[in-house]
Amino acid sequence: MDVMKGAAVTDSSEKNVLILGAGVCGLYAALTLLRRGVKVTVLERESRPGGLAAGHERNGNFYDLGCHMLHAHDEGVFETISGIMGDKRIEVQLDAKIRWMGKFYRYPLQFQDMIKGMSLLKLGWYGSALVAAQVWYKIFPREPKDAEEALIMLYGKPLYRFFFRDFTHRYWGMPPRDLSATFIKSKMPRLSAVDIIKKALAKFGVKENENMAVDSALMEETLHYSQSGAETMARLMAEEVERLGGQVLLDHPVQTVEHVDGKAVGVVCENGDRYTADHIISTMPVPVLAKSMEPKPPKNVVDAAKRLRYKPIAIYGLLVKKPKCIDALYIYYRRRIFHRVGEPKNAGLKVTPEGHTVLIVEMTCDKGDGKWTNDPDIWDQIVADLESEKICKPEDIVEHHVLRSETGYPIFALGFEPHLETLQSYVAEISNLQSTGRQGGFCYPNMHSAMRMGADAAEAVFGL
C-alpha cells in the first residue's frame, strides 16, 4: 500500500510505532503507517530531516550531501512523493558524464567509450582477454573469492588492471582483493562482459532481441528535484508526517533501545527522554543499533558489530562567482582528489546572489583525515584540480563549506557477510524490531528503493 496525500486512512489497530531516523526510508515508513491509523513517533539525531538526502543551508544557499535526485522507477513511491511535493517538484533530464582519457562521455560509461583512444594492438589484447575470461569461466564456473577476482571474471585481467584496479583502491582506501565479491553485484554498474560483447556486435548490425540493458536505459531518464535542492522533499515528507498526526522529533539522538524477553519495549534518548512502543523500526547503522541494545547483546554480536564498517564522505560545497561551471548535472573524475562534482543549479537550484552558482565536490575519506578536517593542503589540491579541469579558478570561489557523514557507504570488506548475518539474526530474534534502509540494512539503495524498504517495514508491522 502506498501513501497518497490526503486524509489519514483509519485502521482497527491501536499500534504505536517508534521510527529511529528521519531519512527518506524512515519518513516513508512513517507515512505508510499513519495512513493505516498507527500512532508514529520519529526520532532523529540531527537538526534536520533527510539523513543523507538532507539539504544544508549556508548563508542563504542550500548544499546537498551529494547528488540526490528522485527517480520515478517505483510508480507507487513516485506518486506519493509527487503528491507531497506538488508544484515544488522540478523535472530535469539526466545528464551525467565521466571524464575519461581526456574527454567527457555520458555516464554510465559504455564499452565503446572505454576503448576509444586505444591502439589496435591494445584493443585486441583487452578484447581477446575479455572474451577468453567469459569462455573460461563459462566452462569452469566458480564463485569469485573477492572483488578483484569477480572483476577479472567479468572483464579479463588486462581490462581490470586498466580500468578498475587503481580507481577502486583510491575510492575505498583498499585494493579490490580486500573487498567482497558481493560488492561487485551490489555497487558496481550492472554491466556484464556478455552485455558488452552484445553491444559491440550491435555496432556491426548484430542486434539482440532483448529489452534495452539497464545501464543504457538509465542514460535517458527524467529526474526530480526542487529549487532548494534535496532538502525540499525530506522537509515536506516530515511536514506531511506531522500533518497526519505523527511526530518528528529532531535533535533526539538515540542512546539505548530497551528490550525484555525478546521484545523491544522502549527507547531512551541522550537527553534522557524515554519513549515506549509496540514496534520499533530502526534506520540507524545496524552496528550502532546493536551497541545501543540494553541488555547488551551476546559477545559474538558485539564482535560482529565491530567488524562492519562504513566509508565516511566529505562534501565540499562551494559558492562560485560564475553563472555556470560544468555542462552536466554532475561529472565523475577518476584521477582527481574528488570523485564527483555536481552543479545543482543545472537542475533548477536557486542560487544567490545572481550570477553565482553552487558546486558539490564529493570525496570519500576517513574520519579525522585531511579531507574530513578541511586541511589547507587538501583544500589547495581541490582548488588546483578544479582549475586544471577548467571548472573554476581560485578567485571565483566566494566561500566553501564542508559537510560530513561518518556512515556514507557500507564497506563490503572481504568476509563481511557472516558478521552482517550475525547482526541480522540477532535483530530478528527481537520480534517487534526491524533494521532497514541504507545504514540499517547495510546496503546500497537509491532514494526510491530506500523508501520502498520503509514501506515494506511498515507493512511488516501488521504481519507480526
Short mmCIF file of all heavy atoms in Angstrom, two decimals, residues 120-146:
data_model
loop_
_atom_site.label_atom_id
_atom_site.label_comp_id
_atom_site.label_asym_id
_atom_site.label_seq_id
_atom_site.Cartn_x
_atom_site.Cartn_y
_atom_site.Cartn_z
N LEU A 120 45.25 -0.35 -31.75
CA LEU A 120 44.63 -1.59 -32.22
C LEU A 120 45.23 -2.79 -31.50
O LEU A 120 44.52 -3.76 -31.18
CB LEU A 120 44.80 -1.72 -33.73
CG LEU A 120 43.96 -0.78 -34.59
CD1 LEU A 120 44.29 -0.97 -36.06
CD2 LEU A 120 42.47 -1.02 -34.35
N LEU A 121 46.53 -2.73 -31.22
CA LEU A 121 47.18 -3.82 -30.53
C LEU A 121 46.61 -3.99 -29.12
O LEU A 121 46.26 -5.10 -28.69
CB LEU A 121 48.69 -3.58 -30.47
CG LEU A 121 49.52 -4.67 -29.77
CD1 LEU A 121 49.40 -5.99 -30.53
CD2 LEU A 121 50.99 -4.24 -29.68
N LYS A 122 46.52 -2.86 -28.40
CA LYS A 122 45.99 -2.91 -27.03
C LYS A 122 44.52 -3.31 -27.02
O LYS A 122 44.06 -4.09 -26.19
CB LYS A 122 46.18 -1.56 -26.35
CG LYS A 122 45.79 -1.53 -24.88
CD LYS A 122 46.12 -0.20 -24.22
CE LYS A 122 47.62 -0.04 -24.03
NZ LYS A 122 47.93 1.18 -23.24
N LEU A 123 43.76 -2.77 -27.98
CA LEU A 123 42.34 -3.11 -28.07
C LEU A 123 42.16 -4.60 -28.32
O LEU A 123 41.31 -5.25 -27.71
CB LEU A 123 41.69 -2.30 -29.19
CG LEU A 123 40.22 -2.59 -29.50
CD1 LEU A 123 39.37 -2.37 -28.25
CD2 LEU A 123 39.74 -1.69 -30.63
N GLY A 124 42.97 -5.14 -29.20
CA GLY A 124 42.89 -6.57 -29.47
C GLY A 124 43.23 -7.41 -28.25
O GLY A 124 42.59 -8.43 -27.98
N TRP A 125 44.24 -6.95 -27.50
CA TRP A 125 44.65 -7.66 -26.31
C TRP A 125 43.55 -7.64 -25.25
O TRP A 125 43.18 -8.67 -24.68
CB TRP A 125 45.93 -7.05 -25.78
CG TRP A 125 46.38 -7.50 -24.41
CD1 TRP A 125 46.65 -6.70 -23.35
CD2 TRP A 125 46.64 -8.84 -23.97
NE1 TRP A 125 47.05 -7.44 -22.27
CE2 TRP A 125 47.05 -8.76 -22.62
CE3 TRP A 125 46.54 -10.08 -24.58
CZ2 TRP A 125 47.37 -9.88 -21.88
CZ3 TRP A 125 46.87 -11.22 -23.83
CH2 TRP A 125 47.28 -11.11 -22.50
N TYR A 126 42.99 -6.47 -24.98
CA TYR A 126 41.94 -6.35 -23.98
C TYR A 126 40.69 -7.13 -24.40
O TYR A 126 40.06 -7.82 -23.60
CB TYR A 126 41.57 -4.88 -23.75
CG TYR A 126 42.61 -4.09 -23.01
CD1 TYR A 126 42.52 -2.71 -22.90
CD2 TYR A 126 43.71 -4.70 -22.41
CE1 TYR A 126 43.48 -1.97 -22.22
CE2 TYR A 126 44.67 -3.97 -21.73
CZ TYR A 126 44.55 -2.61 -21.64
OH TYR A 126 45.50 -1.90 -20.96
N GLY A 127 40.32 -6.98 -25.68
CA GLY A 127 39.11 -7.65 -26.15
C GLY A 127 39.24 -9.15 -26.12
O GLY A 127 38.31 -9.87 -25.71
N SER A 128 40.39 -9.68 -26.54
CA SER A 128 40.57 -11.14 -26.52
C SER A 128 40.60 -11.67 -25.10
O SER A 128 40.06 -12.76 -24.82
CB SER A 128 41.86 -11.51 -27.27
OG SER A 128 43.00 -10.93 -26.64
N ALA A 129 41.19 -10.91 -24.18
CA ALA A 129 41.22 -11.33 -22.78
C ALA A 129 39.83 -11.33 -22.18
O ALA A 129 39.47 -12.22 -21.38
CB ALA A 129 42.14 -10.42 -21.98
N LEU A 130 39.02 -10.36 -22.57
CA LEU A 130 37.64 -10.30 -22.09
C LEU A 130 36.85 -11.52 -22.56
O LEU A 130 36.17 -12.19 -21.77
CB LEU A 130 36.98 -9.01 -22.58
CG LEU A 130 35.56 -8.70 -22.14
CD1 LEU A 130 35.36 -7.19 -22.12
CD2 LEU A 130 34.52 -9.30 -23.07
N VAL A 131 36.94 -11.83 -23.84
CA VAL A 131 36.23 -12.98 -24.39
C VAL A 131 36.75 -14.27 -23.76
O VAL A 131 35.97 -15.17 -23.40
CB VAL A 131 36.38 -13.03 -25.92
CG1 VAL A 131 35.76 -14.32 -26.48
CG2 VAL A 131 35.70 -11.82 -26.56
N ALA A 132 38.08 -14.36 -23.59
CA ALA A 132 38.66 -15.56 -23.01
C ALA A 132 38.16 -15.78 -21.58
O ALA A 132 37.87 -16.92 -21.17
CB ALA A 132 40.19 -15.46 -23.02
N ALA A 133 38.05 -14.68 -20.81
CA ALA A 133 37.55 -14.80 -19.44
C ALA A 133 36.12 -15.31 -19.43
O ALA A 133 35.75 -16.17 -18.62
CB ALA A 133 37.63 -13.44 -18.73
N GLN A 134 35.30 -14.79 -20.35
CA GLN A 134 33.91 -15.24 -20.42
C GLN A 134 33.83 -16.72 -20.76
O GLN A 134 33.07 -17.47 -20.15
CB GLN A 134 33.15 -14.42 -21.45
CG GLN A 134 32.74 -13.04 -20.99
CD GLN A 134 31.69 -13.12 -19.88
OE1 GLN A 134 30.59 -13.63 -20.07
NE2 GLN A 134 32.04 -12.62 -18.71
N VAL A 135 34.61 -17.15 -21.73
CA VAL A 135 34.58 -18.56 -22.15
C VAL A 135 35.11 -19.46 -21.04
O VAL A 135 34.50 -20.49 -20.71
CB VAL A 135 35.40 -18.74 -23.44
CG1 VAL A 135 35.52 -20.23 -23.78
CG2 VAL A 135 34.76 -17.99 -24.59
N TRP A 136 36.23 -19.07 -20.45
CA TRP A 136 36.85 -19.89 -19.43
C TRP A 136 35.93 -20.11 -18.22
O TRP A 136 35.75 -21.25 -17.77
CB TRP A 136 38.16 -19.25 -18.97
CG TRP A 136 38.85 -20.01 -17.87
CD1 TRP A 136 38.79 -19.78 -16.53
CD2 TRP A 136 39.69 -21.16 -18.03
NE1 TRP A 136 39.53 -20.68 -15.83
CE2 TRP A 136 40.11 -21.55 -16.73
CE3 TRP A 136 40.15 -21.88 -19.14
CZ2 TRP A 136 40.94 -22.64 -16.51
CZ3 TRP A 136 40.99 -22.97 -18.91
CH2 TRP A 136 41.37 -23.34 -17.62
N TYR A 137 35.34 -19.03 -17.73
CA TYR A 137 34.51 -19.16 -16.54
C TYR A 137 33.12 -19.71 -16.86
O TYR A 137 32.38 -20.09 -15.95
CB TYR A 137 34.43 -17.82 -15.81
CG TYR A 137 35.75 -17.43 -15.20
CD1 TYR A 137 36.49 -16.36 -15.69
CD2 TYR A 137 36.28 -18.16 -14.14
CE1 TYR A 137 37.71 -16.02 -15.14
CE2 TYR A 137 37.50 -17.83 -13.59
CZ TYR A 137 38.22 -16.76 -14.08
OH TYR A 137 39.43 -16.44 -13.54
N LYS A 138 32.79 -19.76 -18.15
CA LYS A 138 31.56 -20.45 -18.55
C LYS A 138 31.78 -21.95 -18.49
O LYS A 138 30.92 -22.71 -18.06
CB LYS A 138 31.17 -20.02 -19.96
CG LYS A 138 29.80 -20.53 -20.41
CD LYS A 138 28.69 -19.77 -19.71
CE LYS A 138 27.33 -20.15 -20.28
NZ LYS A 138 26.25 -19.45 -19.57
N ILE A 139 32.97 -22.38 -18.91
CA ILE A 139 33.30 -23.81 -18.90
C ILE A 139 33.64 -24.28 -17.49
O ILE A 139 33.25 -25.37 -17.07
CB ILE A 139 34.50 -24.08 -19.85
CG1 ILE A 139 34.13 -23.71 -21.28
CG2 ILE A 139 34.92 -25.55 -19.77
CD1 ILE A 139 35.31 -23.77 -22.24
N PHE A 140 34.36 -23.42 -16.76
CA PHE A 140 34.78 -23.79 -15.40
C PHE A 140 34.24 -22.76 -14.40
O PHE A 140 34.99 -21.93 -13.86
CB PHE A 140 36.31 -23.84 -15.31
CG PHE A 140 36.94 -24.77 -16.30
CD1 PHE A 140 37.59 -24.27 -17.42
CD2 PHE A 140 36.88 -26.15 -16.11
CE1 PHE A 140 38.19 -25.13 -18.33
CE2 PHE A 140 37.47 -27.02 -17.02
CZ PHE A 140 38.11 -26.51 -18.14
N PRO A 141 32.92 -22.78 -14.17
CA PRO A 141 32.33 -21.75 -13.29
C PRO A 141 32.74 -21.95 -11.83
O PRO A 141 32.98 -23.06 -11.37
CB PRO A 141 30.83 -21.99 -13.46
CG PRO A 141 30.72 -23.43 -13.85
CD PRO A 141 31.93 -23.74 -14.67
N ARG A 142 32.88 -20.84 -11.12
CA ARG A 142 33.13 -20.88 -9.69
C ARG A 142 32.75 -19.54 -9.09
O ARG A 142 32.63 -18.55 -9.79
CB ARG A 142 34.57 -21.22 -9.39
CG ARG A 142 35.58 -20.13 -9.71
CD ARG A 142 36.93 -20.47 -9.10
NE ARG A 142 37.90 -19.41 -9.25
CZ ARG A 142 38.80 -19.34 -10.20
NH1 ARG A 142 38.82 -20.28 -11.14
NH2 ARG A 142 39.67 -18.34 -10.24
N GLU A 143 32.58 -19.53 -7.80
CA GLU A 143 32.29 -18.30 -7.11
C GLU A 143 33.58 -17.52 -6.88
O GLU A 143 34.57 -18.09 -6.40
CB GLU A 143 31.62 -18.57 -5.75
CG GLU A 143 30.17 -19.03 -5.86
CD GLU A 143 29.28 -17.96 -6.46
OE1 GLU A 143 29.41 -16.79 -6.07
OE2 GLU A 143 28.48 -18.30 -7.34
N PRO A 144 33.63 -16.25 -7.24
CA PRO A 144 34.85 -15.47 -7.03
C PRO A 144 35.15 -15.32 -5.54
O PRO A 144 34.24 -15.17 -4.72
CB PRO A 144 34.54 -14.12 -7.68
CG PRO A 144 33.05 -14.03 -7.67
CD PRO A 144 32.55 -15.43 -7.83
N LYS A 145 36.44 -15.33 -5.21
CA LYS A 145 36.82 -15.26 -3.80
C LYS A 145 36.82 -13.84 -3.27
O LYS A 145 36.77 -13.62 -2.06
CB LYS A 145 38.20 -15.90 -3.59
CG LYS A 145 39.32 -15.17 -4.31
CD LYS A 145 40.66 -15.88 -4.10
CE LYS A 145 41.79 -15.15 -4.84
NZ LYS A 145 43.08 -15.85 -4.67
N ASP A 146 36.93 -12.84 -4.18
CA ASP A 146 36.94 -11.45 -3.75
C ASP A 146 36.54 -10.56 -4.93
O ASP A 146 36.26 -11.06 -6.03
CB ASP A 146 38.32 -11.05 -3.21
CG ASP A 146 39.46 -11.38 -4.18
OD1 ASP A 146 39.27 -11.22 -5.40
OD2 ASP A 146 40.54 -11.79 -3.71
#
